[in-house]
Amino acid sequence: MKCIRCNNTDPKLFAYDQGVWYCRQCVRFGRMDLGQEAKSTICKNKPKKVRPDLKFALTPLQEEASQKALSHLKKGKNVFVYAATGAGKTEICYASICDYLRQGKKIGFAISRRQVVLEITQRLREVFPSLKIVEVCQGYTSDLDGDIIVCTIHQLYRYPKAFDLLILDEVDAFPYAGNHILKQFVEQACCGQQLCLSATIDPALKKEIDEHKYEVVSLFQRPHKKPLIVPKVYTLPIMFQYFAIYRLCKKFHVQDKQTIVFVPRKKDTSLFCFLLRRFGAHPIHSMIENKDEIMEQFRKKRYSVLISTTLLERGITIPGVQVIVFRADHPVFSNASLIQIFGRVGRKFTEPYGEGVCLCQRKTKEIQTCVSTIEWMNQHAKYV
Ligand SMILES: [Zn+2]
């Protein structure tokens, strides 16, 4: 017995109901009966000639990386784009998107987080105004077909063998990393090539790269050509970390800069909100309901300081933001997570500099790897 959707072969994970066996492992995505064929309801694309409508031309390095990725894909290889935070990894995909569309092929863009699905859809609509681009995620499941389908990885179960090009963003992020069911959804949704993107590599991904599952294309230079911000690491007892954060927030406040303080646990957010109340500090974490509204207010500079768990480690760009990590030696902060966190600083052309401060009681291996990886990327920024 084998489920064609999630590849489950464990007899204990099949159930018998009215004459048919079905898979229990993936039943929350709708029942899959044994022997039932996986059918997707989407239509084939017609060949379309499109060009991306860009506000800024790609930098020569972005252009080179785009062409490299496309040439690997054309040879039928899967590609992993290893790009520094803020280097513009979405832009690297445009050349490949255009090439596949020209051949009338179907493109999927799958991302772990719903919020990023909505953002990427918006961006693609601006860049390709003549295409039908649909978002498919929680709250958006009425229209499932378009020239490009942007969805959460969970939603890929709807698209068996649908995509000739499947772009996967943040492949090493929760909940995709280490999740076998989602991994199977990806495998069964893609009937052509995978184009994976991330600024960080976790051990599982490293193993797949070593096994030559992907051709690696790297891009470590941000479009403004300034180096990535290397965090300053201070080892301090926890009490002194509180003082340090107060003083730093005060300094940034005087400079009219906004700050995100990253904390390891949800319960840390309320204490910091009290401590930093005179700077208009506001908490944000997964259990807070009006997250979109809080981000909106922060973007409008209604708050000077945001106290966040790792929730905001990826996918957000706030011009001119400074970043502090409290208790960076806590196990929730992996080196990938820290690289993403400090990658929030200096992303914009108008604000390419900034400060990243890493406070800890001891300098863990994760912190050291974060610092050395960022330094290594800066040294290699001129190469593709
Ligand atoms: Zn299954």
Side-chain angles (χ1 to χ4, degrees):
M1 280 198 284
K2 181 174 174 180
C3 170
I4 50 165
R5 181 157 71 192
C6 71
N7 247 12
N8 163 35
T9 52
D10 183 351
K12 289 198 283 296
L13 292 176
F14 285 94
Y16 192 69
D17 175 43
Q18 297 178 3
V20 281
W21 288 91
Y22 68 91
C23 173
R24 288 198 297 127
Q25 181 165 262
C26 62
V27 71
R28 67 177 185 276
F29 299 97
R31 191 169 121 168
M32 193 77 202
D33 291 341
L34 218 62
Q36 182 187 344
E37 234 182 88
K39 270 201 203 114
S40 91
T41 49
I42 58 171
C43 303
K44 280 219 159 309
N45 276 357
K46 289 201 179 77
K48 276 188 184 153
K49 262 195 170 169
V50 283
R51 284 168 68 89
D53 186 1
L54 297 173
K55 284 197 192 89
F56 302 97
L58 298 190
T59 63
L61 286 184
Q62 281 179 322
E63 190 60 52
E64 203 179 324
S66 309
Q67 293 307 325
K68 270 195 175 173
L70 176 58
S71 82
H72 288 309
L73 293 170
K74 277 184 165 168
K75 288 178 200 147
K77 304 252 175 75
N78 294 325
V79 174
F80 171 62
V81 175
Y82 186 27
T85 49
K89 54 188 159 68
T90 313
E91 285 84 343
I92 304 290
C93 306
Y94 296 158
S96 303
I97 290 177
C98 293
D99 190 82
Y100 277 71
L101 287 172
R102 205 175 302 130
Q103 302 175 54
K105 290 184 170 176
K106 206 83 188 180
I107 299 171
F109 203 130
I111 306 151
S112 289
R113 283 175 312 136
R114 178 179 173 276
Q115 190 54 39
V116 188
V117 167
L118 302 178
E119 278 169 32
I120 296 270
T121 309
Q122 205 47 46
R123 250 168 95 181
L124 291 175
R125 277 186 189 137
E126 284 164 21
V127 173
F128 298 108
S130 64
L131 296 180
K132 183 186 173 195
I133 297 164
V134 289
E135 62 273 79
V136 179
C137 57
Q138 194 194 358
Y140 294 85
T141 50
S142 50
D143 192 357
L144 299 173
D145 198 3
D147 296 308
I148 303 177
I149 295 161
V150 188
C151 63
T152 45
I153 293 175
H154 287 92
Q155 299 288 342
L156 285 176
Y157 77 88
R158 298 176 187 273
Y159 300 103
K161 298 195 175 66
F163 301 118
D164 302 292
L165 176 65
L166 182 55
I167 304 171
L168 289 161
D169 201 0
E170 298 183 346
V171 272
D172 64 323
F174 177 83
Y176 179 60
N179 185 318
H180 296 297
I181 297 184
L182 294 183
K183 191 107 192 150
Q184 272 313 314
F185 286 3
V186 166
E187 296 299 330
Q188 70 124 28
C190 181
C191 57
Q193 289 73 48
Q194 291 179 20
L195 175 56
C196 303
L197 319 168
S198 188
T200 42
I201 298 179
D202 68 354
L205 183 58
K206 169 109 183 18
K207 189 167 165 269
E208 288 183 327
I209 291 170
D210 291 343
E211 289 165 358
H212 304 288
K213 206 188 154 201
Y214 300 103
E215 295 292 328
V216 181
V217 173
S218 45
L219 178 71
F220 301 134
Q221 188 197 61
R222 286 177 165 177
H224 56 52
K225 301 187 177 115
K226 304 287 185 295
L228 301 165
I229 305 303
V230 181
K232 292 179 193 144
V233 183
Y234 299 102
T235 35
L236 293 171
I238 289 190
M239 192 44 90
F240 287 93
Q241 293 186 29
Y242 286 113
F243 288 128
I245 289 174
Y246 184 87
R247 290 186 58 173
L248 284 164
C249 286
K250 190 173 168 191
K251 181 178 104 177
F252 297 147
H253 187 71
V254 170
Q255 294 170 348
D256 201 23
K257 302 269 190 207
Q258 288 181 292
T259 310
I260 306 179
V261 179
F262 284 90
V263 297
R265 302 165 305 178
K266 291 183 194 84
K267 62 180 179 188
D268 298 316
T269 56
S270 38
L271 178 63
F272 274 105
C273 280
F274 179 73
L275 183 72
L276 304 170
R277 62 192 180 282
R278 61 174 283 211
F279 309 120
H282 207 282
I284 188 161
H285 53 71
S286 58
M287 301 303 280
I288 285 182
E289 271 182 18
N290 52 344
K291 292 189 273 291
D292 293 348
E293 200 183 310
I294 295 170
M295 287 313 293
E296 181 74 24
Q297 297 291 326
F298 190 60
R299 282 179 206 283
K300 287 182 180 160
K301 302 203 170 188
R302 300 267 159 79
Y303 317 125
S304 172
V305 180
L306 211 50
I307 317 292
S308 172
T309 55
T310 53
L311 178 79
L312 295 186
E313 75 178 24
R314 288 163 191 261
I316 60 145
T317 297
I318 306 278
V321 80
Q322 316 290 308
V323 163
I324 307 170
V325 180
F326 170 65
R327 291 186 65 192
D329 45 348
H330 191 281
V332 304
F333 296 116
S334 65
N335 75 69
S337 154
L338 291 168
I339 290 169
Q340 295 283 358
I341 285 173
F342 294 111
R344 299 308 103 204
V345 189
R347 294 169 78 93
K348 282 283 176 188
F349 268 91
T350 46
E351 305 266 1
Y353 304 107
E355 269 190 64
V357 179
C358 185
L359 303 172
C360 54
Q361 284 175 282
R362 64 186 183 90
K363 211 170 165 181
T364 56
K365 196 159 172 277
E366 302 296 319
I367 297 171
Q368 288 170 29
T369 309
C370 157
V371 174
S372 60
T373 307
I374 295 174
E375 286 173 343
W376 180 85
M377 283 187 174
N378 278 340
Q379 282 161 15
H380 290 76
K382 46 187 179 302
Y383 308 114
V384 170

